Amino acid sequence: MSRAVEDSNRRMLRARDAMDHAYAQPLDVPALARIAHVSEAHFTRTFRATFGETPHRYLQRRRVERAMFLLRETDRSVTDICFEVGFGSPGTFSRTFRDIVGRSPRTYRKETPATGVPTCFAMAWMRPSSAPSAD
Amino acid sequence: MFNAITQSQIYVLDQDEALDFYVGKLGLEVAADVELGFMRWLTVSVPGHPERQILLEKPGAPAMSEETAEQVRELVTKGAMGGWLIFTTDDCRKTYETLLGRGVEFTEEPTERPYGTDCGLRDPFGNRIRFTQPLA
């Protein structure tokens, strides 16, 4: 049984790595399930059981984390950043950002200084927490 | 007081598979491979630098219970065990191409950072590995 769990974990990790890497692209469940080499029906349920949140929510948090990074470290416009990290519209971006971070992108930018930590650390540790009741 | 880091450890799920990857693909060399009976002491190092070794440790009894070993294995495969390594390289892009040719799967291709060019991958078990070409 445990070998099956390990194999499943690695498949889910592969899909999560893909989200970390290709967050700006439209990654839907069929695409992610293909990366994990599992059926679509199996994918969302197993991902959630493995990492404690749905793939959709994970991808949103990854995109919001990258947006937070760009807001902190660059002068690019909020609209540019929205599309850059993979959101389809500024409205969805602002709503999701506020939902996850608790502040609007503009307020976040104003209130947060640049950090200068290595990007791999920022991606892992500065990702906003998943809201308990999300999804 | 202390003057060097000589040994670090990460968990691997299979030491032969770990050798294939760390030596066969990443090009590290075996620093020590000793069958102690209760465990296999297997360390690797960057060629020419035996002063710093990484222990490729297989979780299991008697160091930990079978149940705990199973939990550790599950954490490793979730990428949550915390085992990770960062290497430096003279040429990040060339190293990337070489490893790609050996079938290594990357989580991030060479990317310019304020501190240099770096790259990300996972070992076959879930541990995170990066290598950086520092700014000259």
Side-chain angles (χ1 to χ4, degrees), chain A residues 63-81:
Chain A
R63 287 172 172 167
V64 166
E65 183 279 331
R66 284 294 85 194
M68 292 164 80
F69 172 81
L70 293 170
L71 289 163
R72 279 196 316 269
E73 315 281 339
T74 73
D75 296 329
R76 312 219 358 227
S77 78
V78 172
T79 307
D80 270 4
I81 291 173

Side-chain angles (χ1 to χ4, degrees), chain B residues 50-61:
Chain B
E51 71 278 7
R52 174 118 197 229
Q53 301 179 13
I54 302 151
L55 175 66
L56 303 174
E57 184 175 6
K58 188 181 168 188

Side-chain angles (χ1 to χ4, degrees), chain A residues 2-3 5-6 9-10 13-14 16-17 21 49-51 66 118-121 123-124, chain B residues 13 70 73-74 76-79 84 105 107-109 113 115 122 124-126 128 130:
Chain A
S2 75
R3 292 300 186 274
V5 172
E6 290 164 14
N9 285 350
R10 275 190 298 227
L13 184 58
R14 201 156 181 265
R16 204 187 69 174
D17 281 342
H21 179 248
T50 305
F51 295 119
R66 284 294 85 194
T119 306
C120 56
F121 266 77
M123 285 185 80
Chain B
L13 304 190
E70 205 162 293
R73 295 175 67 98
E74 285 188 26
V76 170
T77 52
K78 280 188 198 182
W84 55 268
E105 214 175 290
T107 55
E108 193 178 325
E109 58 274 344
R113 309 286 187 196
Y115 45 85
R122 284 194 193 278
F125 316 108
R128 213 151 58 108
R130 302 190 74 81

Side-chain angles (χ1 to χ4, degrees), chain A residues 1 13 18 23 31 43 58 60 65 71-73 75 79 98 100-101 109 115 123 129:
Chain A
M1 183 58 203
L13 184 58
Y23 54 87
F43 178 69
Y58 184 84
Q60 281 187 324
E65 183 279 331
L71 289 163
R72 279 196 316 269
E73 315 281 339
D75 296 329
T79 307
R98 185 187 282 277
I100 290 176
V101 181
R109 169 172 263 171
T115 59
M123 285 185 80
S129 292

Side-chain angles (χ1 to χ4, degrees), chain B residues 114-133:
Chain B
Y115 45 85
T117 310
D118 80 352
C119 222
L121 60 139
R122 284 194 193 278
D123 79 358
F125 316 108
N127 296 304
R128 213 151 58 108
I129 295 173
R130 302 190 74 81
F131 53 87
T132 307
Q133 176 186 343

Side-chain angles (χ1 to χ4, degrees), chain B residues 34-52:
Chain B
V34 185
E35 185 48 72
L36 298 173
F38 51 88
M39 68 93 76
R40 178 182 177 189
W41 178 266
L42 176 63
T43 68
V44 291
S45 55
V46 170
H49 290 279
E51 71 278 7
R52 174 118 197 229

